[in-house]
Amino acid sequence: MLNKLRLLTPGPTPLPEEVRLAMARDMVHHRKAGFKAVLAEVQEGLKALFGTAQPVLPLTCSGTGAMDAAVSGLFSPGEKVLVVEAGKFGQRFTQIARRRGLLVAAQPLPWGQAADPAMVRYALEADKDIVGVLMQASETSTGVLHPVREVATVTKSHGALLVVDGISAVGVSPLPMDEWGVDCLLTGSQKGLMLPPGLAFLALSEKAWERAAKAAPGSFYFDLAGELANLKKHQTLFTPAVSLIAGLQESLRLFKAEGLEAVYRKQWALTLGCRAGARALGLDLFAPKHFAWGLTSVALPEGVDGVRLVQVAAEKYGVVMAGGQDQLKGRIVRVGHMGHVDFGDLLAGLHAFNRSFAICGGFSACDDYLERAMAAYEEALEQGYPAL
Ligand SMILES: *Cc1c(COP(=O)(O)O)cnc(C)c1O
């Protein structure tokens, strides 16, 4: 065992010790007072994390389950929605919406590009039948951060519902649901929240709850009104993933102790550090302008195989990164730095990246990329993050 395993993927992410220990405890019964107290405590933490006064439903499923729950809970077959399709997860929203029998007006964008609020406005003006807009906050397949706040201004003025998949953004970069006017915000457990996969969370605005009450019955398991009624009694509709909720309690305590501002500041600094390191190596960043904070997509030069690079980094250095998906397979490497990741992990990641890059036929003459990454990290940490 030469190396520690370092999970620098955009989910799952490494777990803090407090979370791991909490999940190792013996089982408790989910209908008894002790567990109700846990659900009551995590509810407060989740509301703070989501930036909402609305209840945040905990669901037992992966992040996609919450996307499914949102679509089937809010819209009825035959209704029309606009989907911002800027990558694999945007496409997933289209698939889910079609499965629900919705008409989808897709707004496909070249991978690497961010949503254009003016295009959303145009689409809503051109087609009054569109009742909802579905988009990611951060499109994890490309590393792009979409302008959710601006799109929310558009949906608000048109009366359409804005549904945001914040799976790789909640707890990573600011996304205050109520302040921005997001109607449905959802996330999963294994990214910014420093938990294993298996939980998802979903909150609705008042307007969205009104819509949900009118939607044709959909999924039996994802019954939003049923979950809400239970949540009011500090319960869940079905047996929840009790151990994961115990982990969630600890993770939310960490968020509270640290403060959201400090968490965002660190995530921003890691992002700038990673970008500076990759640039110092002479590499292009796949999302040059509107970039996500929790991961960095590095474009590889012709002739360097990203699949092999990721393999070498894992085998030789214990650093697990993600490759590109679909048409980006082999062409980009996605370095995750969300959740419980710090500058030491980032330095290890950049070093592993550089060495694996050379083994796979890449070349860089830069020998101070780690210093440059650290300088960018420290400067960003000091200056703080920009307003989104
Ligand atoms: C990871 C991710 C998903 C998928 O989540 P699962 O937990 O794998 O179902 C969906 N959307 C985004 C933006 C993601 O980052």
Side-chain angles (χ1 to χ4, degrees), residues 10-11 61-65 67 89-90 92 136-141 165-169 186 188-191 197-199 338:
C61 55
S62 85
T64 306
M67 296 168 75
F89 295 111
R92 186 167 300 175
Q136 275 55 48
S138 138
E139 174 50 79
T140 321
S141 63
D165 160 4
I167 297 179
S168 58
L186 60 95
S189 52
Q190 77 274 28
K191 306 205 177 174
L199 288 178
M338 59 182 79

Side-chain angles (χ1 to χ4, degrees), residues 3-290:
N3 298 309
K4 283 204 275 185
L5 194 72
R6 285 190 168 80
L7 209 48
L8 295 187
T9 59
T13 60
L15 307 178
E17 186 172 38
E18 292 88 336
V19 169
R20 281 184 275 132
L21 290 176
M23 292 188 307
R25 291 202 296 260
D26 200 359
M27 209 28 51
V28 295
H29 195 271
H30 62 289
R31 301 289 179 207
K32 303 291 187 268
F35 192 69
K36 287 182 187 174
V38 175
L39 280 181
E41 181 185 323
V42 300
Q43 188 51 217
E44 291 317 303
L46 287 169
K47 283 179 175 177
L49 191 65
F50 272 52
T52 186
Q54 298 296 326
V56 183
L57 307 178
L59 304 171
T60 305
C61 55
S62 85
T64 306
M67 296 168 75
D68 205 2
V71 170
S72 74
L74 290 169
F75 305 105
S76 306
E79 286 186 319
K80 194 184 272 187
V81 292
L82 178 77
V83 178
V84 175
E85 252 186 33
K88 197 170 178 66
F89 295 111
Q91 289 174 348
R92 186 167 300 175
F93 251 151
T94 294
Q95 291 174 314
I96 294 171
R98 293 220 167 102
R99 186 69 65 90
R100 172 65 169 148
L102 308 185
L103 304 171
V104 177
Q107 197 160 83
L109 295 166
W111 287 31
Q113 210 159 296
D116 179 356
M119 273 172 69
V120 174
R121 183 186 298 281
Y122 178 79
L124 292 182
E125 273 164 14
D127 190 344
K128 302 290 182 204
D129 288 342
I130 296 172
V131 292
V133 174
L134 316 181
M135 70 187 295
Q136 275 55 48
S138 138
E139 174 50 79
T140 321
S141 63
T142 63
V144 159
L145 190 69
H146 288 310
V148 171
R149 186 204 272 264
E150 284 83 355
V151 174
T153 329
V154 174
T155 49
K156 239 186 298 181
S157 68
H158 280 78
L161 225 55
L162 177 61
V163 178
V164 176
D165 160 4
I167 297 179
S168 58
V170 171
V172 178
S173 55
L175 182 41
M177 177 178 163
D178 290 359
E179 190 193 324
W180 286 9
V182 172
D183 293 297
C184 172
L185 180 61
L186 60 95
T187 194
S189 52
Q190 77 274 28
K191 306 205 177 174
L193 266 63
M194 312 183 287
L195 292 165
L199 288 178
F201 310 96
L202 180 152
L204 300 183
S205 68
E206 259 173 55
K207 193 168 97 189
W209 276 115
E210 282 165 24
R211 189 157 233 298
K214 292 188 207 128
S219 167
F220 178 83
Y221 186 67
F222 294 120
D223 173 354
L224 301 183
E227 289 292 355
L228 180 65
N230 272 272
L231 194 64
K232 286 181 177 155
K233 300 177 283 176
H234 306 306
Q235 288 281 275
T236 52
L237 189 49
F238 307 110
T239 313
V242 172
S243 300
L244 293 178
I245 300 274
L248 173 69
Q249 184 181 27
E250 289 305 321
S251 121
L252 291 173
R253 282 176 180 173
L254 291 172
F255 270 102
K256 189 173 176 186
E258 196 75 18
L260 270 182
E261 297 296 311
V263 171
Y264 297 149
R265 186 179 271 259
K266 181 194 86 164
Q267 297 295 350
W268 170 248
L270 286 174
T271 305
L272 289 205
C274 189
R275 296 177 75 80
R279 262 203 223 96
L281 292 171
L283 294 162
D284 287 332
L285 298 167
F286 189 68
K289 219 167 133 199
H290 305 282

Side-chain angles (χ1 to χ4, degrees), residues 82 212 223-224 227 274 277 286 309 311 327 333 356-357 359 383 388:
L82 178 77
D223 173 354
L224 301 183
E227 289 292 355
C274 189
F286 189 68
L309 193 159
Q311 215 167 12
Q327 73 248 44
V333 170
S356 310
F357 181 61
I359 290 169
Q383 295 192 347
L388 284 183

Side-chain angles (χ1 to χ4, degrees), residues 346-359:
L346 181 66
L347 290 177
L350 286 169
H351 179 78
F353 186 105
N354 182 38
R355 288 288 195 265
S356 310
F357 181 61
I359 290 169

